[in-house]
Amino acid sequence: MNYEPLLQLFVDKPGEYVSGEVISQELGVSRTAIWKQIRKLEGAGYQFEASRRLGYRLLSVPEQLSVEGLTSRLEAKTFGKTLHWFDTVESTQNLARAAAEEGAEEGTLFIAEQQVSGRGRMGRGWVSPRGKGVWMSMVLRPSVPIHFAPQLTLLTAVALCRSLKRLTSLPIGIKWPNDLLIDGKKISGILLESAAEDERLRYVIAGIGISVNLEQLDYPSELLDKATSLRISSGTKWDREAVIADFLKEWEQLYYLYQEQGFGLIITLWEALSVSLGKSVRLITPQGDIVGVPVGLDDSGAIRIKLADGTIKPVFSAEMGEPL
């Protein structure tokens, strides 16, 4: 059964119920087939109201990004200059990596309305339903040594946090290294994956997931106490094109400042936005757990942890728990 004839029935009767009998007669299909198609449409982001007596009524259609509209808003000179839009993909990271291997220029951006296999740090899945968030990956080709790659992750977090705070006025902060939180709940995912040769970065794929207009029903119940969205936190529906355009502008400015002036500015900005400093935490590392108080970043991007004996230990990779 094709989506379009069924959708057209509802479009022709805006705000009205269409009975199962009418749909069945018009399309020549069974009631069971109609029910299954309604479920598929709901999975694609359409919202219906069902009544045993009256039938089905279309409440809303999924919002779709306009490539032309987004392009017209972009003020960044390089970031997003080449833009590829997709309806549904497994992962924008995979698309960007393949393009980078084929020589895609810096700033080439891949955006999808929906990811079915989105992933975050440490192989975790990422909830990315159709039309409600920003799911994108970009090709970077920074002129820095491979051991500077963690600095780029922190830079990206700073750019996204500054942009979203400016747009929404929400109390957004950064949990080390790059989780953005509102009242302890995560609103974004940042994943940077790199390829190197002779100790130089060939390219970096920066994956960004922003939970913009997700509602509570979009999250599995086990994530409701850990994740949120701009819409849930503010009670406002946000323009995704505006979110993307502002972030790309902020990100590009910081990226080029970083390459000209070094990591010092990023350290200052990150520490000012961090919610991880000054509180005793447990860090889970491959070598074992560490308990201490984060006091700042070092010049490489590692988090500096003050241990119980007063010594300072740099930690480069770990999972940071909640404050103790």
Side-chain angles (χ1 to χ4, degrees):
M1 186 174 172
N2 189 330
Y3 277 9
E4 294 304 321
L6 178 59
L7 281 175
Q8 193 60 49
L9 287 177
F10 291 105
V11 171
D12 291 342
K13 297 179 183 294
E16 298 180 26
Y17 284 97
V18 184
S19 71
E21 181 179 358
V22 169
I23 298 172
S24 181
Q25 290 175 351
E26 291 280 343
L27 304 182
V29 296
S30 69
R31 299 288 188 92
T32 300
I34 296 167
W35 181 85
K36 288 181 178 179
Q37 193 65 13
I38 292 289
R39 296 286 84 77
K40 288 181 180 179
L41 286 169
E42 287 178 332
Y46 294 86
Q47 292 185 332
F48 292 88
E49 185 174 69
S51 165
R52 286 183 178 275
R53 187 170 60 88
L54 301 174
Y56 299 97
R57 180 170 61 151
L58 180 61
L59 298 178
S60 67
V61 300
E63 177 192 343
Q64 184 168 297
L65 287 168
S66 162
V67 175
E68 294 77 13
L70 176 57
T71 301
S72 70
R73 295 186 183 206
L74 292 181
E75 297 182 50
K77 297 176 182 177
T78 301
F79 286 18
K81 182 179 179 181
T82 301
L83 193 157
H84 302 279
W85 177 91
F86 299 85
D87 181 70
T88 301
V89 300
E90 286 196 358
S91 166
T92 56
Q93 285 291 94
N94 298 342
L95 296 174
R97 179 181 287 277
E101 288 289 349
E102 294 295 321
E105 63 183 355
E106 181 164 73
T108 301
L109 184 65
F110 294 80
I111 300 178
E113 288 290 355
Q114 180 183 35
Q115 290 186 120
V116 294
S117 298
R119 64 183 186 274
R121 290 179 64 239
M122 301 186 177
R124 294 190 180 92
W126 184 257
V127 178
S128 42
R130 180 189 303 272
K132 294 195 172 184
V134 171
W135 325 122
M136 67 186 194
S137 296
M138 192 166 68
V139 177
L140 298 175
R141 296 189 181 275
S143 301
V144 297
I146 186 172
H147 60 273
F148 282 7
Q151 297 178 350
L152 295 169
T153 299
L154 297 163
L155 182 156
T156 304
V158 167
L160 184 56
C161 191
R162 281 168 58 89
S163 173
L164 293 180
K165 282 174 71 73
R166 181 170 57 246
L167 279 174
T168 69
S169 299
L170 289 168
I172 305 170
I174 306 172
K175 176 185 174 185
W176 184 82
N178 59 7
D179 286 347
L180 266 59
L181 307 181
I182 299 176
D183 297 328
K185 296 183 178 183
K186 190 170 177 177
I187 60 160
S188 76
I190 298 172
L191 175 65
L192 270 65
E193 300 175 310
S194 59
E197 189 175 293
D198 298 327
E199 294 302 309
R200 303 293 295 186
L201 288 168
R202 289 176 52 223
Y203 62 79
V204 173
I205 305 302
I208 313 294
I210 311 170
S211 299
V212 181
N213 290 322
L214 279 74
E215 300 170 87
Q216 289 190 340
L217 290 175
D218 293 310
Y219 291 101
S221 57
E222 65 270 16
L223 290 182
L224 287 175
D225 64 341
K226 301 175 183 176
T228 189
S229 71
L230 299 179
R231 183 171 185 172
I232 293 171
S233 297
S234 66
T236 301
K237 187 175 181 180
W238 296 93
D239 182 335
R240 292 184 297 149
E241 293 170 14
V243 170
I244 295 169
D246 193 85
F247 167 51
L248 290 179
K249 180 182 178 182
E250 179 74 26
W251 194 12
E252 183 180 83
Q253 288 175 344
L254 285 183
Y255 180 74
Y256 288 119
L257 275 174
Y258 160 73
Q259 296 204 73
E260 292 169 7
Q261 301 179 15
F263 191 52
L265 171 64
I266 306 304
I267 291 176
T268 300
L269 294 174
W270 188 94
E271 290 179 349
L273 294 168
S274 175
V275 297
S276 299
L277 303 183
K279 305 168 187 175
S280 182
V281 295
R282 183 182 306 276
L283 294 99
I284 303 169
T285 78
Q287 294 75 37
D289 292 2
I290 298 171
V291 174
V293 178
V295 294
L297 299 177
D298 71 11
D299 291 339
S300 69
I303 190 83
R304 298 167 58 241
I305 303 297
K306 185 176 183 180
L307 304 179
D309 63 5
T311 59
I312 303 294
K313 179 181 178 65
V315 176
F316 295 90
S317 179
E319 181 73 6
M320 180 177 286
E322 298 302 317
L324 299 175

